[in-house]
Amino acid sequence: MTVFSSLKIRGITLKNRLVVSPMCMYSSEDGFANDWHLVHLGSRAVGGAGLIFTEATAVEPRGRISPLDLGIWKDEHIEGLKRIVDFCHSFGAKVGIQLAHAGRKAEDYAPWEREKKKLKGSKHAIAPSPIPYGKDWLVPKEMKQEDIQEVQKAFVNAAKRAVDAGFDVIEIHSAHGYLLHEFLSPISNKRTDNYGDSLENRERFLIEVVRSVRKAIPDSMPLFVRLSCVDYVEGGWTLEDSIHLARALKEEGCDVIDCSSGGIVEEEKVNAYAGFQVPYAERIKKEVGIKTMSVGLITTYEQAEEIIGNSRADLVAIAREFLRDPYLPMRWAKSKGLKPEVPRQYIRAWL
Ligand SMILES: Cc1cc2nc3c(=O)[nH]c(=O)nc-3n(C[C@H](O)[C@H](O)[C@H](O)COP(=O)(O)O)c2cc1C
């Protein structure tokens, strides 16, 4: 098996194992996709990626990481997203949407504006507990049971719109310190109701979201969940917790665990090195028997090949290296003497 082997998940077949990881572009107004998103995601389809994820796409306006994020909280958002999906499909790529809610990490300013402001966060932010993300961050509103129901409904409605837009895959963002991760981690969840305290209670909200989204989308559509597999904070979420959760998610019809890490507090120390998150994907895959996607500082063909060839993960997601080179899959294939799949417009440069 190689990074260029196809992979069938439920009703879809990815032409290779190379995935464009979700990346915020801070280029949207009122959640709408525009020409930037078409050119950015479309270029990676031209470049040969097997699966391309949108950035964290907000299920409700107060769930945006910044006011410039993509959104899918109203029907009007569907058309712009569909244009991108259709274009990517014409180059043989599958397209996934990452459905997200930023929770206490929602912000009222773009990252470059926020640097100039004193306050960080959003006055509309909600979270499992009224604990700010870090120093100088606004205190989020503690969610009531009605808020939990409302956000769950927002995920379901967003998923239905994603189906209407023609997406092939849905990923629920439950990593990097955003809302669903905030419920999982004992660092940010101090609730005393049935959504807090014990591990099962902290897992409840994500499991309910996954269960209700699964019911709302076709059986043939793969469902991914991105997890921060560890918190890097004493008393935080652990890899053992992730394994426990992955077992439950598999039962609920989740197909792939996308294994990232960190993000729950502003002051965290991460020792990041090439492939540092691969062991998380490997352990979850082996112990739970579920497909995994590995991400994080994967930049070379040899690294990706080692991960896939040794069955340490089923997919490799790449973020920054895809920003440096949208034609990464074509370049890697050519460098290995394989015949890259090249759009006819570019054949004279590649064959
Ligand atoms: C510009 C940028 C934006 C990002 N936005 C998101 C996002 O919207 N959702 C997400 O889950 N991760 C996001 N990430 C994290 C990436 O998906 C990826 O997990 C991380 O960059 C590690 O992969 P890499 O070493 O290949 O860059 C972002 C990363 C970058 C560089």
Side-chain angles (χ1 to χ4, degrees), residues 21-26 54-57 65 98 171 173 175-176 178 226 258 260 276-277 295-299 317-324:
S21 200
M23 280 182 278
C24 289
M25 290 285 111
Y26 309 110
T54 66
E55 66 189 49
T57 303
I65 296 166
Q98 188 186 49
E171 173 167 281
H173 195 351
H176 304 168
Y178 298 117
R226 176 166 270 199
D258 174 4
S260 189
F276 70 112
Q277 295 173 148
V295 65
L297 287 171
I298 301 166
T299 54
I318 295 168
R320 286 163 291 182
E321 199 59 22
F322 256 123
L323 292 188
R324 295 178 195 112

Side-chain angles (χ1 to χ4, degrees), residues 58-83:
V59 299
E60 57 169 27
R62 69 181 163 174
R64 282 177 289 181
I65 296 166
S66 87
L68 304 177
D69 293 1
L70 281 179
I72 187 159
W73 63 81
K74 51 187 176 187
D75 290 348
E76 289 77 7
H77 287 142
I78 295 172
E79 191 184 336
L81 292 167
K82 189 172 186 313
R83 184 165 80 115

